[in-house]
Amino acid sequence: MPDHNAPAALGGDDLETWSALATVLEWLPAALDAELLRDSDVTHFEYGILFALANASDLTLRMSVLAGYANSSLSRLSRAIQRLETRGWVQREPDPDDGRYTLATLTNRGREKFHQASPGHVATVNRLVLDPLTQSQRRLLRDISRRILRAIREEKGWQPPLSSN
Amino acid sequence: MPDHNAPAALGGDDLETWSALATVLEWLPAALDAELLRDSDVTHFEYGILFALANASDLTLRMSVLAGYANSSLSRLSRAIQRLETRGWVQREPDPDDGRYTLATLTNRGREKFHQASPGHVATVNRLVLDPLTQSQRRLLRDISRRILRAIREEKGWQPPLSSN
DNA sequence: GCTTTTTACTTGACTGAACAAGTGAATGGA
DNA sequence: TCCATTCACTTGTTCAGTCAAGTAAAAAGC
C-alpha cells in the first residue's frame, strides 16, 4: 500500500550493495574502537591524536592543524586533549610566536603509550580489512573509496579540511 | 628513531587503501546524518527505526526485535522511542500476549514523516555512493563489504544479531 | 594609536549514548 | 504453590559531543 512510485526506495542489487556497506559503516568502526579500548584503553579518536603527534616534527602540532588531521571540531579536540593531558600523555602551551595558537606536544609517556597501542591496532586493521581481500580488491576498494569521497566533497562545495567550530 | 621493525605500521598501497576507507568511515555517515537532520530533522538512527516500523506488518514491532533491526542496545532504543513518542510518531503498549514485551507502533503522523523523509535520504545514498560507481564497482563493493563483515563476525565468534543490554 | 574585527581557541549548557542497576511480568523447579 | 530465576525492558548516572557564547591575542581600519 505504501511505495508511491517516487525514487523513494532502493531495490535489487543496489539495495544489497548499500545494505552491505551500511553494515560495514556500523560495525567496522565499532570493532576498531573495541580493540583499542580493550587492549589500550584509548578510543580510536584519541589514538588518531597520538598518531598525528607522534608523526609530527618535535612531536608537536597546533590545535587547529591537529583538528584538521583528526577531522574534528576544535571544541571536540579541545576536550579530548584536556583528557589526554590529565592522563599525562600530552602537554599544551601557547605558541610563543603567536599567542592565539596553542601547541600540543606528546610527552614521553604519551610516546610510549602510542608505541604500545600501535601493533594491536595495525594488526586489527589487517585482520578485519586487508587480509580478507585479494590484492586487486584492495586496489578497487581504494578507488571506490576515493570516488565516494569525491562525491561527498562536491556535495559540500569542497570545504577545505579544517571545518571550523 | 621510532619505528621498531614490528608490524607496527602500515605502508605503501595498504596505507593508501586503509586511509581512503578510514576517511569514508568518518565522512559518509556524517554526510548521511547531515542530510536527514537538515531536511527532515531526524537522525539516521531514528530514520532506521521509522523504516523498520513502516515495513513491519501492522506497523508494529516488539522492542527487542526492533533493537535487532536497528543494531542497537535495548537501552538506546528505549530512549530513542521515548523521543519519537513525544514527537507523536510512535506509540508503545505492553504486548497483550506477554506483558514483558513492549510493542512499538508507527502512528499515522509517523508514517507521514517517514514518507516525507525517504526520498531525500534515498537520493543522497544514490548521489554519494551508488552513482559515482560503475556497475562492476558496485558489485565489487558489495563483495568486499561482505568479506569484511565475515572477518568481523569471525572475530567475535558469531554473536547472533541481538546484542543485549 | 586606538578601536574594531578576525583568529584560535576554551567553556557552559544541554543532548544523546553507554553501563549498570533497577522493575515488573512470566516461567521453572521443589 | 511458592520462591527463585529469567526476560524484556526502563532508568540513574556518567561521560563525550555539539552549539553558542565567551576570552585573549593579533591584524586591520581609520
Side-chain angles (χ1 to χ4, degrees), chain B residues 83-153:
Chain B
R83 294 189 300 267
L84 296 179
E85 217 171 10
T86 67
R87 302 227 250 167
W89 298 336
V90 172
Q91 276 185 350
R92 272 185 293 190
E93 53 177 344
D95 187 333
D97 296 348
D98 184 335
R100 287 172 300 181
Y101 291 93
T102 300
L103 299 177
T105 306
L106 203 62
T107 63
N108 286 335
R109 286 182 50 207
R111 227 189 83 276
E112 280 166 31
K113 184 68 193 174
F114 171 69
H115 285 113
Q116 172 255 300
S118 276
H121 179 60
V122 171
T124 304
V125 171
N126 275 308
R127 207 166 52 247
L128 299 183
V129 178
L130 270 5
D131 293 347
L133 304 181
T134 66
Q135 197 58 46
S136 88
Q137 281 175 327
R138 294 182 204 184
R139 213 173 31 248
L140 251 302
L141 177 57
R142 188 197 57 192
D143 296 344
I144 288 171
S145 297
R146 286 178 177 170
R147 282 187 179 225
I148 293 173
L149 290 175
R150 195 179 325 135
I152 294 174
R153 277 189 228 109

Side-chain angles (χ1 to χ4, degrees), chain A residues 64 78-79 82 92 100-102:
Chain A
S64 40
S78 183
R79 314 246 190 222
Q82 222 168 49
R92 272 185 292 190
R100 288 172 299 181
Y101 291 92
T102 300

Side-chain angles (χ1 to χ4, degrees), chain B residues 6-164:
Chain B
L10 296 169
D13 286 353
D14 281 351
L15 178 58
E16 290 204 19
T17 298
W18 168 238
S19 102
L21 176 60
T23 309
V24 169
L25 254 29
E26 247 180 46
W27 290 13
L28 183 53
L32 261 13
D33 257 7
E35 182 275 334
L36 277 170
L37 217 50
R38 177 168 44 77
D39 296 345
S40 307
D41 196 37
V42 282
T43 63
H44 189 256
F45 182 65
E46 291 168 334
Y47 177 81
I49 292 172
L50 298 181
F51 177 90
L53 289 176
N55 288 104
S57 61
D58 293 333
L59 306 175
T60 297
L61 286 172
R62 290 179 172 174
M63 291 291 282
S64 40
V65 174
L66 188 49
Y69 290 170
N71 194 35
S72 153
S73 70
L74 224 30
S75 105
R76 182 184 180 191
L77 179 64
S78 183
R79 313 248 192 218
I81 292 282
Q82 223 167 47
R83 294 189 300 267
L84 296 179
E85 217 171 10
T86 67
R87 302 227 250 167
W89 298 336
V90 172
Q91 276 185 350
R92 272 185 293 190
E93 53 177 344
D95 187 333
D97 296 348
D98 184 335
R100 287 172 300 181
Y101 291 93
T102 300
L103 299 177
T105 306
L106 203 62
T107 63
N108 286 335
R109 286 182 50 207
R111 227 189 83 276
E112 280 166 31
K113 184 68 193 174
F114 171 69
H115 285 113
Q116 172 255 300
S118 276
H121 179 60
V122 171
T124 304
V125 171
N126 275 308
R127 207 166 52 247
L128 299 183
V129 178
L130 270 5
D131 293 347
L133 304 181
T134 66
Q135 197 58 46
S136 88
Q137 281 175 327
R138 294 182 204 184
R139 213 173 31 248
L140 251 302
L141 177 57
R142 188 197 57 192
D143 296 344
I144 288 171
S145 297
R146 286 178 177 170
R147 282 187 179 225
I148 293 173
L149 290 175
R150 195 179 325 135
I152 294 174
R153 277 189 228 109
E154 276 163 15
E155 179 102 337
K156 49 176 73 167
W158 186 219
Q159 166 200 51
L162 233 152
S163 58
S164 80

Side-chain angles (χ1 to χ4, degrees), chain A residues 61-80:
Chain A
L61 286 173
R62 292 178 171 174
M63 291 291 281
S64 40
V65 174
L66 187 49
Y69 290 170
N71 193 34
S72 154
S73 70
L74 222 32
S75 102
R76 182 184 181 189
L77 179 65
S78 183
R79 314 246 190 222

